[in-house]
Amino acid sequence: SYLNLRIIQSEYGISIDQSQHIDKTILQPFFSGVSPKDIYFRKSPFPRDNSVERILYNEFPLGDTSLSDMAKQYHGGLSKWIGSLMHITVWTRIDINYAVTRLSGYMACPKPTCFKILHQLMEYLYHQCHYPIFYSSNKPSTI
């Protein structure tokens, strides 16, 4: 398991994923103490509603006390989670790239909505943890 990658080769092709790493080092610590039934299914890692952009623009950054409270509630600060997510984004989870990139812009001065978006991203990842990259051994057919 090089760089926390699981590489499986078969007659059909090569599969590369990080689902064990994602579950063990990201999801379990993030959802520590949360019942699985309370982790909602999300279709998207980032809110599709345009109002989120307006809220992020108008919202003030969290103060020291509020930031500390959020870090306790989410088992770590925004920068901790973004760092963990960047690792998997680079290697196997291209589907969360936009959400991670958008949130990374708020690492210095997080806003309350950033933590809500982080929570949605983690719920998305929880329900779609096993999402391997597959390279088929079959040659692509020409049209």
Side-chain angles (χ1 to χ4, degrees), residues 22 24 34 41 47 77-78 80-81 90 103 107 115 118 121:
I22 292 167
K24 190 177 195 177
V34 177
F41 178 80
L78 187 65
K80 170 193 172 179
W81 294 117
V90 169
L103 286 174
M107 286 192 326
F115 283 94
L118 174 66
L121 171 56

Side-chain angles (χ1 to χ4, degrees), residues 56-64 66-67 106 108-112 114:
L56 280 171
Y57 179 78
N58 291 319
E59 209 169 38
F60 288 107
L62 291 163
D64 291 339
S66 301
L67 190 56
Y106 293 96
C109 298
K111 298 178 176 189
C114 295

Side-chain angles (χ1 to χ4, degrees), residues 48-66:
R48 295 180 181 187
D49 185 8
N50 291 338
S51 68
V52 171
E53 296 297 337
R54 265 184 261 108
I55 293 168
L56 280 171
Y57 179 78
N58 291 319
E59 209 169 38
F60 288 107
L62 291 163
D64 291 339
T65 306
S66 301

Side-chain angles (χ1 to χ4, degrees), residues 17-19 22-23 27 31 39-45 48 88 92-96 120-132:
D17 81 271
Q18 290 181 292
S19 54
I22 292 167
D23 183 50
L27 296 174
F31 289 114
I39 303 172
Y40 299 109
F41 178 80
R42 302 289 184 160
K43 291 182 180 181
S44 170
R48 295 180 181 187
I88 64 170
T92 59
R93 294 308 298 259
I94 300 157
D95 58 323
I96 64 169
Q120 176 175 335
L121 171 56
M122 292 297 200
E123 287 178 327
Y124 170 83
L125 211 51
Y126 181 87
H127 288 284
Q128 300 188 36
C129 185
H130 184 69
Y131 196 77

